[in-house]
Amino acid sequence: MSVWDDLVGQRRAVEALQAAAAGHGMSHAFLFTGPPGSGRSNAAVAFAAALQCAEDPAGCGTCHACHTVLAGSHADVSVIRTERLSIGIKEVRDLVRRSALSPVGPRWQIVIIEDADRLTEGACNALLKAIEEPAERTVWMLCTPTVDDVLPTIRSRCRLITLTTPTAEAVADFLVRTAGVNEALASYAARASQGHIGRARALARDEDTRNRRREVVAIPAQLTSLGACMTRATTLNDVAKQEADAITSELDARDKADLDAAYGVVERGRRPREYAPVLRDMEKDQKTRAKRRHLDVVDRGLMDLVSVYRDAIAVSAGAPGTLVNEEIRGDIELLARTGTPEAQLRRIAAVFEAREQMLEFNVQPALALESMMLALVAPEVRTG
């Protein structure tokens, strides 16, 4: 067993981090970048475990220090996750104060910020000051999709660790080893996830997730009329909301149970005065989380649509190899006959435009998806 076991197809990054843990190229700040699902936060946590490991600089994965870091309970490793739309200055200032403390143990004080691209401007400035004047034995680890997602002044003070999209073969092998699924299902999940490890796990383990994706990738071939466009926009939005609700309802129930336990609240018992405002704040955060989760699932659906049009381009070009959506090759060949590769690229551009409207300009998903579907309908339908 090793702390690096959950990193798939990241040999170069692992080698660089192992060397840093052994003292070669160590820095007070690291920036982990890579596409969604590549394992940025997993790499940061694995590196933190290696830095705290008492047995092996490479990270043995079995000692008490490694186990507690990987389990999220190590006293000197803070992992900051958020479901909110941004990470504010107050939260970062609390982190900065915590980072200035001496480690409880003999090694490092480590702060990992997942989704560092969600830092507000004020939060970035507060973080910059801490990275410019690092406390002794403190290591900052920031995780973002690209280097452009943080301020250049922060980027210049961090050692860059770049992760890549793992191959479908590497993901399939990982699923067979860790999820216990058969090779055929692992191959499907690896291709359909397009290298996103978390998505691959979900597809391999959950039939409902697979069925929802099949509904989404079937959409392009069904866009044969304006009415079909409106119907499929509703379908995509509803499918995304169902998946998001399934995730957030479980998290909401867990949050409520934890809050009740913390305040000693029973179902029909008296509630402390402080309980009500804390409950309101929690419910507000839960609504924000639900909105973000809905957008995340819609976004994933849009990437599934893009994979269909990319497959159509591959078919038109006669490219060798297995399609991402090999299971619907017939639909994809039909799409390839309805337009040139240039037309498929315009459809992909329409998908990314809808994505930008929702994520950057806060357009309601239903409206953005309706507009997108009208742009995806086959040219002969629009003019007929």
Side-chain angles (χ1 to χ4, degrees), residues 50-69:
L51 289 176
Q52 305 290 17
C53 183
E55 305 295 333
D56 183 352
C60 68
T62 56
C63 70
H64 178 72
C66 284
H67 177 74
T68 52
V69 172

Side-chain angles (χ1 to χ4, degrees), residues 157-179:
R157 288 162 175 79
C158 297
R159 180 179 174 188
L160 179 63
I161 302 294
T162 302
L163 280 71
T164 60
T165 300
T167 65
E169 292 76 16
V171 176
D173 178 67
F174 175 75
L175 293 174
V176 171
R177 287 189 292 106
T178 63

Side-chain angles (χ1 to χ4, degrees), residues 1 59 63 103 137 155-156 160 246 261 263 273 297 312 328 376 382:
M1 180 179 175
C63 70
R137 292 198 293 155
R155 183 169 69 237
S156 65
L160 179 63
Y263 281 85
R273 182 181 303 174
V297 178
I328 57 168
L376 297 182
R382 279 208 306 268

Side-chain angles (χ1 to χ4, degrees), residues 110-152:
I110 298 172
V111 182
I112 301 171
I113 303 181
E114 295 185 4
D115 301 314
D117 52 307
R118 297 188 191 180
L119 291 166
T120 64
E121 184 177 353
C124 285
N125 291 329
L127 177 61
L128 174 61
K129 184 171 293 187
I131 293 179
E132 282 179 330
E133 302 172 1
E136 188 178 358
R137 292 198 293 155
T138 293
V139 180
W140 290 88
M141 301 183 190
L142 314 180
C143 305
T144 66
T146 72
V147 294
D148 295 326
D149 292 316
V150 294
L151 292 176

Side-chain angles (χ1 to χ4, degrees), residues 4-343:
W4 312 101
D5 285 349
D6 282 347
L7 293 183
V8 182
Q10 309 296 342
R11 180 179 58 83
R12 289 186 179 180
V14 169
E15 289 175 351
L17 293 170
Q18 287 177 330
H24 306 291
M26 187 58 190
S27 173
H28 68 285
F30 289 80
L31 177 60
F32 292 80
T33 67
S38 58
R40 299 185 301 265
S41 59
N42 286 344
V45 170
F47 183 41
L51 289 176
Q52 305 290 17
C53 183
E55 305 295 333
D56 183 352
C60 68
T62 56
C63 70
H64 178 72
C66 284
H67 177 74
T68 52
V69 172
L70 297 177
S73 57
H74 196 286
D76 291 328
V77 178
S78 302
V79 182
I80 310 307
R81 301 181 174 94
T82 184
E83 293 288 346
R84 298 194 299 273
L85 300 180
S86 63
I87 301 174
I89 187 170
K90 181 179 182 299
E91 189 170 1
V92 171
R93 282 176 175 166
D94 289 341
L95 290 177
V96 171
R97 282 192 289 270
R98 192 186 315 170
S99 73
L101 300 175
S102 297
V104 175
R107 301 184 70 81
W108 302 93
Q109 175 84 262
I110 298 172
V111 182
I112 301 171
I113 303 181
E114 295 185 4
D115 301 314
D117 52 307
R118 297 188 191 180
L119 291 166
T120 64
E121 184 177 353
C124 285
N125 291 329
L127 177 61
L128 174 61
K129 184 171 293 187
I131 293 179
E132 282 179 330
E133 302 172 1
E136 188 178 358
R137 292 198 293 155
T138 293
V139 180
W140 290 88
M141 301 183 190
L142 314 180
C143 305
T144 66
T146 72
V147 294
D148 295 326
D149 292 316
V150 294
L151 292 176
T153 46
I154 291 179
R155 183 169 69 237
S156 65
R157 288 162 175 79
C158 297
R159 180 179 174 188
L160 179 63
I161 302 294
T162 302
L163 280 71
T164 60
T165 300
T167 65
E169 292 76 16
V171 176
D173 178 67
F174 175 75
L175 293 174
V176 171
R177 287 189 292 106
T178 63
V181 300
N182 61 60
E183 292 186 2
L185 179 55
S187 177
Y188 161 76
R191 285 185 287 103
S193 71
Q194 302 177 75
H196 192 299
I197 303 301
R199 178 67 167 163
R201 278 202 190 102
L203 288 166
R205 293 172 174 171
D206 184 48
E207 185 176 359
D208 287 341
T209 301
R210 294 195 292 273
N211 289 336
R212 284 191 290 264
R213 186 183 186 277
R214 291 188 183 105
E215 284 188 64
V216 172
V217 297
I219 287 174
Q222 299 168 348
L223 300 178
T224 56
S225 68
L226 299 183
C229 290
M230 297 296 101
T231 300
R232 297 303 171 259
T234 301
T235 297
L236 179 53
N237 192 45
D238 289 348
V239 165
K241 193 167 190 318
Q242 288 170 14
E243 183 169 349
D245 287 347
I247 298 169
T248 55
S249 60
E250 182 178 344
L251 293 173
D252 290 351
R254 191 184 311 159
D255 289 346
K256 180 65 163 55
D258 289 344
L259 181 66
D260 289 351
Y263 281 85
V265 172
V266 296
E267 187 174 352
R268 295 187 180 181
R270 292 175 61 88
R271 300 183 176 187
R273 182 181 303 174
E274 300 85 359
Y275 178 82
V278 175
L279 177 63
R280 283 196 300 271
D281 289 343
M282 185 191 74
E283 290 174 342
K284 181 179 178 181
D285 287 343
Q286 287 177 340
K287 288 180 181 179
T288 302
R289 176 170 64 192
K291 178 182 178 181
R292 181 73 196 191
R293 185 69 68 175
H294 183 198
L295 288 174
D296 286 346
V297 178
V298 170
D299 187 47
R300 191 161 59 223
L302 296 184
M303 293 303 98
D304 288 335
L305 287 180
V306 167
S307 74
V308 175
Y309 293 116
R310 284 176 175 164
D311 279 348
I313 293 173
V315 168
S316 295
T322 305
L323 301 176
V324 170
N325 301 283
E326 187 66 39
E327 294 75 15
I328 57 168
R329 179 177 279 271
D331 286 352
I332 290 170
E333 290 175 344
L334 176 63
L335 278 176
R337 293 195 296 270
T338 67
T340 63
E342 291 78 12

